[in-house]
Amino acid sequence: EQAVVDDGELGYWGTIALRCRLETSRGDVRAGVVHLETPRGGLDAGLSDNWVGRQTMEEEIERRAKISALASELAGDSNKTLVLGDFNMPVDSAIYRRDWSRFQNAFSLAGWGFGGSKMTRWFRVRIDHALVSGDWQVIRAWLGPRIGSDHRPLIADVRLAE
């Protein structure tokens, strides 16, 4: 149905988000998939002990905020909406709260544990999300097994509320 693709202006590497319309027995459902940029470049720059590093980190935060806002705009505000993907930010991120808090987060509502979907040698963090509009009921959410990626799959059972 529609996509947000960076033409180079934001310095992203391609498709930011896709949205499609699914025909179901309960009517059309909007489904979106996002893959937002990692904050790694800004974090690495911010760890340097100089003014240029701090400025680069601030520019990266601003750029990531623009990318998230574009994807969020594509997701829209309508009912019967699902948004899934690698958001590269936890739920307590200011950008997440600004752009995505209007949706229900399946793991926050019905998951168990921390839900660390991204794994490194040093930490696990939940940056992959399954979001639904308010007219969905979240039954359960869990992480799938390791499948050869640095992310574990996030799985959610949801259904349209009666």
Side-chain angles (χ1 to χ4, degrees), residues 13-30:
W13 50 267
T15 303
I16 296 167
L18 298 170
R19 184 183 72 199
C20 64
R21 181 178 49 87
L22 306 173
E23 294 177 15
T24 75
S25 61
R26 304 262 324 262
D28 289 352
V29 170
R30 291 174 63 164

Side-chain angles (χ1 to χ4, degrees), residues 15-89:
T15 303
I16 296 167
L18 298 170
R19 184 183 72 199
C20 64
R21 181 178 49 87
L22 306 173
E23 294 177 15
T24 75
S25 61
R26 304 262 324 262
D28 289 352
V29 170
R30 291 174 63 164
V33 178
V34 301
H35 187 195
L36 304 180
E37 189 170 27
T38 177
R40 195 173 303 114
L43 292 171
D44 288 345
L47 290 173
S48 67
D49 191 23
N50 62 47
W51 176 252
V52 174
R54 180 182 169 148
Q55 184 176 359
T56 301
M57 182 176 71
E58 290 173 357
E59 290 168 358
E60 285 293 307
I61 291 169
E62 183 177 329
R63 191 169 68 85
R64 289 185 73 240
K66 287 178 184 176
I67 290 169
S68 178
L70 286 170
S72 178
E73 185 178 319
L74 179 70
D77 289 323
S78 66
N79 289 332
K80 295 184 180 179
T81 299
L82 306 159
V83 184
L84 315 166
D86 180 356
F87 288 71
N88 267 309
M89 65 183 83

